Amino acid sequence: MKVPRVVHSGNLHTRSSRLLVLASLLTLLSACGGGGSGSANQPPPSHTLPDQTGCFYQYTLPQSAQRAGIDPLLSSFWHLNNTGQDGGTRGEDLNVFPGWTSTRGNGTRIAIIDDALDVLHEDLAPNVVPGASYSYRSGSVGSSYPLPCLAADDHGTAVAGIAAARDQNAVGGAGVAPQAGLVGYSALATGFDADIADALMRGLADNGVYQNSWGSPDDGKLGEISSVISAAIETGITTGRNSKGAVYVFSNGNGGCYALDQNNRCLSERSTLDAYLNQRGVIVACGVDHDGRHPDYAEQGANLLVCGATGNESYTSFISTTAPKNRYRNDFSGTSASTPMVSGTAALLLSANPSLTWRDIRLILARSARRNDPGDGGWFANPSSGLAYNHKYGFGVANAAAALALAANWSSVGGSDTMRSCGPYLRTPNIALPDASGARVTPREDTIAVPTGCPISRIEYVEVSFTADHAYSGDLRIELTSPTGSTSELAVERLCDGSGDACGSYRNWQFGVTRHLDEPAVGEWRLRVTDAQQDDTGRWNNWSLRIWGR
């Protein structure tokens, strides 16, 4: 049994990182919105507000004002156009401005699933789709005003501003998709699984992108997902947008340094330990700082797709965005901030080419991504796919202009109904996992041969189900190697705060893997499992492999 002596860092779980809410018996941790946009510079069409009894904030309807002009804060938004204005590296941004010459998100909708959304904010209201938002908060259920009700309800408003604050209205700044429609679902205000599942399926005919800057707690433990939420995501990619599929974007989390041990060293986890991020239909968004580098708090993983921008690890550089009651903030950070940038980029693609499916969006983002931090040794260029991957960055930083250029003449690969599947192929090695002895470790390996009858020549997603009985599952390092020789780090050894097997149980745990995108499926796949920490032993019972693609 391993019980680490840890000191939880005070700045890693702030509201600008991840938001604590109660989801039935599961605690969710926020990491950190619609046909078209609302009428320009007009609040939602209503003359009365819902009952605000018990709310910390009290709202009044703003004056309608037709305004046009330069957005005064836009020049400071380095994530849109990095000129080095906050000390970062010129060009380390989303390359959005050139893309705006073709579209600014018109005609598509972003659903913000979060704690609340200030639908009356001067820089958001012009894009808010009238009557489409939904409040889950007790006392105002059914209201289209999911307004902040507590002092801490500022997260969703910040996220929405990054994705789709209005441009050219002489106030604030602009979002990545500044003329996309915004819809707010305040499901995290209650945190109940049923509410979250409902929000993930609400408006499926019209919403293009579902933005989610939240996930499991960043504590090194395996984070489960409710079956109703998993089913909701499956429903969305199957039936959303007339079977083209909803686009779900989730943050990879801030557990890259979730606590400090007694020697002031970081304890970390991987995004593949969060079951929300191991779902086939989820885009997992990572974050890079103003120099294009990996902040220590951001999690690594084999399920990452592309990154947006976020604050640096020293919290001296931040993201500017909207705050409740017509205010603005310049202190937003964490992967909460990077995720809506990927959501905004996806909305631009759907605006430019509404025929794109959820699968097309993933492929376009990956193929057009910019390889940042080229000196980092974690990049692996796979000649079979023509793509390079890094466990810190996925396929790189989202490149809006390049993605839009690729989308213009994209030939769709189809939706869920045409996606092929091979497997699951099951193996039961049932072998002991020898304990680490000093610096010596003894890996155990097993292989699955995908037969030539598998019709997938280009992989889009890999699922690995893994079961091991172990007294301390955090001891295990788990690696998957494909027939082309690329290796996915599914889990690495770690310590978890608590007693017993505080890390959780690998019983039919499903890892979702994006790394092998566009590789061939046929051939020998090898899983290597290593007990990499001293004390505690276990047994590797079984594993299975399922491959999705075309």
Side-chain angles (χ1 to χ4, degrees):
M1 180 178 71
K2 300 172 180 67
V3 183
R5 292 175 56 198
V6 299
V7 178
H8 290 278
S9 176
N11 64 352
L12 291 179
H13 296 112
T14 62
R15 295 284 305 181
S16 58
S17 301
R18 287 200 153 195
L19 170 68
L20 287 170
V21 297
L22 179 65
S24 297
L25 298 179
L26 173 68
T27 300
L28 298 177
L29 192 62
S30 170
C32 40
S37 62
S39 301
N41 296 301
Q42 294 286 343
S46 174
H47 297 292
T48 60
L49 286 170
D51 180 21
Q52 299 179 72
T53 303
C55 286
F56 180 87
Y57 288 106
Q58 294 292 309
Y59 279 80
T60 57
L61 283 171
Q63 294 292 321
S64 297
Q66 297 290 342
R67 287 177 287 191
I70 296 172
D71 304 307
L73 301 180
L74 186 60
S75 62
S76 66
F77 283 23
W78 65 264
H79 57 283
L80 300 181
N81 183 36
N82 192 343
T83 62
Q85 61 267 57
D86 80 332
T89 301
R90 187 181 185 90
E92 288 294 345
D93 53 45
L94 299 170
N95 195 25
V96 170
F97 282 6
W100 283 353
T101 61
S102 59
T103 181
R104 300 191 178 214
N106 315 69
T108 192
R109 292 164 56 158
I110 304 173
I112 308 291
I113 301 179
D114 217 292
D115 56 358
L117 178 62
D118 186 351
V119 295
L120 304 178
H121 193 289
E122 63 181 1
D123 217 12
L124 301 178
N127 287 341
V128 171
V129 180
S133 296
Y134 191 87
S135 172
Y136 292 85
R137 189 180 298 279
S138 176
S140 61
V141 171
S143 167
S144 60
Y145 290 84
L147 294 169
C149 195
L150 304 172
D153 288 346
D154 61 350
H155 192 266
T157 300
V159 165
I162 294 171
R166 187 72 173 205
D167 65 334
Q168 300 177 334
N169 62 346
V171 295
V176 174
Q179 295 183 24
L182 275 174
V183 178
Y185 300 143
S186 59
L188 298 193
T190 70
F192 294 123
D193 290 345
D195 287 345
I196 294 170
D198 180 81
L200 289 165
M201 294 185 292
R202 184 171 287 272
L204 279 175
D206 300 311
N207 295 333
V209 181
Y210 289 76
Q211 152 60 38
N212 304 274
S213 280
W214 51 269
S216 297
D218 297 326
D219 54 8
K221 303 175 184 179
L222 294 171
E224 302 284 351
I225 186 173
S226 160
S227 61
V228 297
I229 295 177
S230 180
I233 293 171
E234 182 66 26
T235 297
I237 63 173
T238 303
T239 68
R241 293 190 307 121
N242 194 26
S243 300
K244 292 188 290 292
V247 178
Y248 292 103
V249 185
F250 278 73
S251 73
N252 71 319
N254 301 321
C257 183
Y258 66 83
L260 304 175
D261 68 7
Q262 64 271 30
N263 296 314
N264 210 37
R265 296 174 300 188
C266 281
L267 302 182
S268 64
E269 69 172 28
R270 296 280 168 130
S271 57
T272 43
L273 305 182
D274 184 342
Y276 290 90
L277 309 182
N278 291 329
Q279 306 297 301
R280 177 167 58 105
V282 165
I283 290 174
V284 182
C286 43
V288 302
D289 67 13
H290 61 181
D291 291 314
R293 297 195 179 111
H294 175 80
D296 281 350
Y297 61 77
E299 295 177 27
Q300 301 184 43
N303 53 6
L304 307 182
L305 190 74
V306 293
C307 293
T310 187
N312 58 13
E313 63 191 51
S314 63
Y315 287 89
T316 58
S317 174
F318 297 93
I319 302 299
S320 297
T321 184
T322 47
K325 302 185 79 170
N326 283 354
R327 293 178 297 176
Y328 301 88
R329 57 188 296 182
N330 60 3
D331 62 348
F332 203 56
S333 191
T335 53
S336 279
S338 56
T339 304
M341 298 182 195
V342 176
S343 292
T345 304
L348 291 176
L349 296 177
L350 292 178
S351 172
N353 187 347
S355 66
L356 295 175
T357 67
W358 69 272
R359 294 168 59 196
D360 296 329
I361 295 295
R362 295 172 62 89
L363 292 168
I364 291 170
L365 288 173
R367 291 186 181 182
S368 61
R370 174 176 55 83
R371 191 191 301 191
N372 58 299
D373 197 6
D376 185 88
W379 286 104
F380 177 85
N382 193 318
S384 69
S385 66
L387 296 170
Y389 193 88
N390 190 313
H391 284 89
K392 295 177 182 176
Y393 306 121
F395 295 100
V397 175
N399 186 332
L404 285 165
L406 190 58
N409 299 305
W410 182 262
S411 180
S412 179
V413 301
S416 296
D417 57 338
T418 62
M419 197 174 196
R420 295 173 173 175
S421 171
C422 294
Y425 308 101
L426 176 66
R427 289 280 299 169
T428 55
N430 194 27
I431 53 178
L433 297 170
D435 192 27
S437 176
R440 293 176 52 195
V441 295
T442 308
R444 291 288 185 256
E445 294 184 353
D446 194 57
T447 60
I448 288 176
V450 175
T452 55
C454 173
I456 296 175
S457 60
R458 289 184 177 273
I459 294 171
E460 293 179 41
Y461 202 67
V462 176
E463 294 172 343
V464 174
S465 180
F466 177 76
T467 296
D469 290 323
H470 199 283
Y472 195 88
S473 62
D475 284 355
L476 301 184
R477 182 188 308 158
I478 308 169
E479 302 160 295
L480 176 72
T481 301
S482 74
T484 66
S486 62
T487 297
S488 291
E489 297 174 354
L490 305 185
V492 296
E493 60 275 16
R494 66 196 188 280
L495 295 177
C496 304
D497 196 5
S499 60
D501 187 7
C503 295
S505 174
Y506 281 125
R507 182 156 301 278
N508 296 319
W509 180 262
Q510 180 176 293
F511 293 103
V513 186
T514 303
R515 186 204 172 117
H516 304 290
L517 191 71
D518 275 353
E519 294 182 31
V522 172
E524 187 174 276
W525 292 77
R526 182 176 74 253
L527 194 69
R528 170 181 285 205
V529 182
T530 307
D531 187 324
Q533 295 181 142
Q534 295 185 51
D535 303 327
D536 306 304
T537 59
R539 179 171 292 273
W540 176 8
N541 305 101
N542 59 67
W543 70 293
S544 69
L545 178 73
R546 187 174 189 179
I547 301 174
W548 298 87
R550 63 196 187 282

